[in-house]
Amino acid sequence: MTEFGISFLIATAKALLGIALVQVSLRLTGRWLMRLTRRTPGDTDDQLLRSVLTTAAPIGYLSAFWWGWRSLVADVEVLNFGEGIDRMLEAAMLFLTIVLIVRLLNRVLLLLLDRSLRRLRRENQLTVLRGLEPMIRSGVWILGLLVFLQNQGVQMGAIYASLAGAGIGLGLALKGPISNFLNYLTILFDEPFRIGQFIRFDDVLGTVEGVGIRSTTIRSLSGERIVISNEDLLGKVIQNYGDLPKRRVATTIGVVYQTSLETVKAIPALVEASIRSNPPAEFDRCHFTRFADSALEFEFVYFIPDADMVLFLDVQQEINHAIMETFQKQRIEFAYPSQTLFLESAQVKTREVAMAVG
């Protein structure tokens, strides 16, 4: 057998040995990791592991082929085509490896984003993610291409400068649309409110009907349709009443100063009974807080475990009715802003002066 044949057999053996090692190691490692992932709830880690193993196999095969090829070139002088051919082959191997890694990164990134949104139950944002998939994939591919070019010795300064110039030009030309789009994404992903929730923005109080790329639509309490720019909406404070786990209600009432001490001591219990008789209200406290100018003031607090504004108003009304009814039965008078003047009669004053003189 010729020297070339022997070298070819050795290189082929090395390549096959490398492929066999890759297959055995991936199979053993895959089985061990699969047993670990089966113990965890969900299938996200299973899919991630399959994606990694699927990508690792061809990268391992390429490495085995490259090992065999370098062995053959080192033994057979005829195949030594020079540095230029070697660099081309090395670049081709690196390019294929980067392609495989970029595909893996795209799959892993989109899978993690999808599972995160599903876990947070943000189904409306899944549609946005589907629309952004081409942009995300393109961004990862561009990064992979830049890594490849930099590895090949390409002067990246000019490319970065061109990209920066193009980015500045596009940014100036598309400032308005890009700003609107970013505000839209902020509302979708940060979720300061959702469609159907009751919010307050400046003097606007109403229910969110829709969120668009440029503006948000709110149906006010009086019925009119109000359209607000997303930029203006995110630039100010938004009060979201639809995201309340429970609503805290604090109310102050006053009774007249002529109320007896026993009655004053009994008022907290009377208020508590009135609140507890109107579920789902949850009583918190009631206290005699201060001596006001024209009233003895009591503050009571209760919670309504629902964000519905109509339910809150209904329960509040029933509690107020119950307190009024209880106070009427107990002959407790509500106070109102007033002043009482105590005047002495002229006869009484004259009598007091005569007694003092006598």
Side-chain angles (χ1 to χ4, degrees):
M1 182 177 292
T2 62
E3 182 180 352
F4 175 78
I6 295 174
S7 299
F8 181 78
L9 288 176
I10 292 175
T12 303
K14 286 183 176 181
L16 293 176
L17 176 62
I19 292 173
L21 289 175
V22 169
Q23 288 182 337
V24 171
S25 60
L26 287 179
R27 184 170 299 178
L28 293 176
T29 305
R31 287 179 179 177
W32 178 67
L33 292 175
M34 280 295 183
R35 285 198 296 268
L36 294 179
T37 57
R38 290 193 188 100
R39 300 175 184 175
T40 60
D43 62 341
T44 302
D45 48 359
D46 299 278
Q47 294 191 32
L48 289 175
L49 179 59
R50 282 193 290 268
S51 298
V52 172
L53 294 177
T54 303
T55 303
I59 292 177
Y61 299 153
L62 286 174
S63 301
F65 171 78
W66 184 251
W67 182 35
W69 171 256
R70 295 304 303 169
S71 174
L72 183 62
V73 170
D75 294 340
V76 181
E77 187 176 353
V78 178
L79 296 177
N80 194 352
F81 300 109
E83 186 178 352
I85 301 298
D86 285 344
R87 286 186 60 84
M88 288 181 60
L89 292 175
E90 184 179 353
M93 296 289 293
L94 177 63
F95 181 77
L96 292 176
T97 302
I98 289 178
V99 167
L100 293 170
I101 293 175
V102 167
R103 292 181 60 188
L104 173 64
L105 290 177
N106 275 325
R107 284 198 298 268
V108 169
L109 180 60
L110 292 174
L111 176 63
L112 292 177
L113 288 174
D114 181 87
R115 291 297 187 270
S116 298
L117 293 177
R118 292 183 186 277
R119 186 174 64 254
L120 296 173
R121 296 182 179 180
R122 298 183 175 180
E123 287 78 8
N124 58 329
Q125 297 179 0
L126 288 173
T127 305
V128 180
L129 178 62
R130 298 290 177 268
L132 293 177
E133 275 189 20
M135 186 184 301
I136 296 173
R137 292 181 184 276
S138 300
V140 178
W141 279 109
I142 290 174
L143 289 176
L145 179 61
L146 292 176
V147 169
F148 173 75
L149 292 176
Q150 189 169 12
N151 184 269
Q152 296 305 304
V154 177
Q155 295 297 325
M156 302 301 296
I159 296 179
Y160 291 145
S162 300
L163 291 176
I168 293 173
L170 287 175
L172 293 175
L174 302 175
K175 179 181 178 182
I178 291 176
S179 177
N180 291 331
F181 182 69
L182 292 178
N183 289 328
Y184 173 65
L185 292 181
T186 300
I187 292 176
L188 288 180
F189 286 102
D190 283 355
E191 282 196 328
F193 53 81
R194 292 191 294 271
I195 295 176
Q197 289 187 331
F198 192 83
I199 68 170
R200 182 188 187 96
F201 170 75
D202 276 350
D203 296 330
V204 178
L205 195 66
T207 304
V208 179
E209 284 196 339
V211 179
I213 293 180
R214 193 170 180 277
S215 60
T216 295
T217 303
I218 299 175
R219 183 70 63 179
S220 70
L221 290 176
S222 55
E224 65 264 21
R225 183 170 176 262
I226 301 175
V227 180
I228 303 173
S229 167
N230 290 334
E231 184 175 2
D232 294 338
L233 199 61
L234 294 176
K236 297 183 179 180
V237 176
I238 301 172
Q239 292 177 277
N240 189 345
Y241 296 105
D243 199 29
L244 288 171
K246 57 182 180 179
R247 189 184 300 272
R248 180 179 182 271
V249 185
T251 306
T252 300
I253 58 174
V255 298
V256 296
Y257 267 92
Q258 288 76 14
T259 307
S260 65
L261 177 60
E262 291 76 12
T263 304
V264 169
K265 291 181 178 179
I267 285 177
L270 296 175
V271 172
E272 178 180 358
S274 299
I275 294 174
R276 294 189 185 279
S277 63
N278 287 277
E282 301 172 358
F283 176 78
D284 182 42
R285 64 178 179 83
C286 179
H287 292 95
F288 174 30
T289 54
R290 74 188 188 107
F291 297 91
D293 291 338
S294 57
L296 304 175
E297 289 190 352
F298 292 80
E299 182 182 65
F300 59 91
V301 178
Y302 59 92
F303 293 93
I304 298 178
D306 199 294
D308 187 4
M309 176 64 76
V310 176
L311 175 63
F312 155 65
L313 294 174
D314 289 341
V315 174
Q316 185 186 48
Q317 176 178 262
E318 293 301 320
I319 290 175
N320 291 341
H321 290 168
I323 292 175
M324 287 189 68
E325 182 179 1
T326 301
F327 278 28
Q328 286 179 2
K329 290 180 179 179
Q330 299 296 326
R331 299 183 181 279
I332 302 173
E333 296 184 21
F334 287 101
Y336 50 88
S338 62
Q339 290 183 345
T340 303
L341 299 179
F342 295 92
L343 301 177
E344 296 182 2
S345 66
Q347 293 181 354
V348 173
K349 193 68 176 175
T350 303
R351 186 181 304 115
E352 291 179 352
V353 172
M355 291 177 62
V357 173

